[in-house]
Amino acid sequence: ELANKAIQLAEARLKNNPKDVDALYARGWAKSLRATYTALVQRSYISALRQALQAREDNDKVLELDPDYVDAELVVGVHQYVAGALPLPFKLMAGLAGIHGNKEKGIAMLRDCGEHGVTTSVEARTALALFLRREAKYGEAAVVNDSLKQQYPHNFLFWLESANLRKDAGNAEQAIALYRELLEQAEQPGYFTNAHLELAWFGLGDTLRGQKDADRKSTRLNSSHITIS
């Protein structure tokens, strides 16, 4: 309902001024949120795709009218990367439907939005870290994720991903240290909200197993009294 209201307010302003970049941006942002909900919750993918394309059009128009409107690069950058990352047969079909994308351009736009965005910096960096991980650029992804971890020190997922990225990059010792630091912080009541510590313990155990370190594998899980062996 809030998304629909935002779209109605934006369209009322656009009737008076079709080049109102703030209204275009607000409508595109609301449509992108609605598209995500439609796809993930309602599982209506055709409808979600239609809304996502409309969101992309609004944000493209914003950047056409005002190239310095950096926040609009989030929706366009995500769309560019996703469309560019499609397997070739799907990419050809999407091209026939007028859907085009470029992974490198998408990543560049998200990087710019993450560094200079006013309202979408966090979302842009989160998407950027995910896409860099997908491209197996673990070092770059870790730098982006660490900026989020520093900004939100009580966010469990940013802490976990910091360790996971080092593990996947092959930096076992650094990953082990980060897993241990996370688990130590979790001993402080209320430090993390909705923390799934089993993911951290699994990551630590898996990394130790890869190191073939039998002594470390006997680490005692203080919180649940389980021993990794």
Side-chain angles (χ1 to χ4, degrees), residues 127-183:
L128 177 60
L130 290 171
F131 294 159
L132 288 172
R133 165 183 271 286
R134 187 179 184 277
E135 297 297 316
K137 297 180 178 180
Y138 303 116
E140 292 182 48
V143 171
V144 176
N145 183 79
D146 285 350
S147 73
L148 292 163
K149 175 185 169 184
Q150 183 177 5
Q151 187 173 351
Y152 296 97
H154 296 280
N155 186 295
F156 172 76
L157 291 177
F158 291 149
W159 276 77
L160 180 67
E161 185 66 355
S162 181
N164 286 343
L165 285 167
R166 268 68 178 199
K167 176 171 72 74
D168 294 342
N171 300 324
E173 290 297 325
Q174 194 174 9
I176 290 168
L178 287 169
Y179 283 125
R180 291 188 182 282
E181 185 181 1
L182 183 160
L183 292 166

Side-chain angles (χ1 to χ4, degrees), residues 19-109:
K19 294 185 178 182
D20 185 332
V21 289
D22 291 329
L24 281 167
Y25 170 71
R27 186 174 69 176
W29 180 250
K31 286 184 177 181
S32 69
L33 290 176
R34 196 166 64 178
T36 302
Y37 175 83
T38 302
L40 297 181
V41 180
Q42 296 181 337
R43 304 286 182 177
S44 180
Y45 301 112
I46 300 300
S47 178
L49 177 61
R50 188 182 307 113
Q51 293 171 31
L53 290 173
Q54 292 172 356
R56 164 73 185 272
E57 290 174 2
D58 279 344
N59 283 273
D60 273 335
K61 185 66 174 178
V62 170
L63 292 172
E64 178 184 329
L65 293 169
D66 184 358
D68 294 327
Y69 206 114
V70 182
D71 287 307
E73 291 184 324
L74 171 63
V75 170
V76 179
V78 169
H79 193 281
Q80 284 275 8
Y81 180 87
V82 172
L86 291 172
L88 183 58
F90 293 101
K91 189 181 292 186
L92 292 174
M93 293 175 61
L96 292 175
I99 304 172
H100 304 282
N102 181 288
K103 290 195 299 183
E104 291 72 22
K105 185 174 181 179
I107 286 177
M109 295 183 80

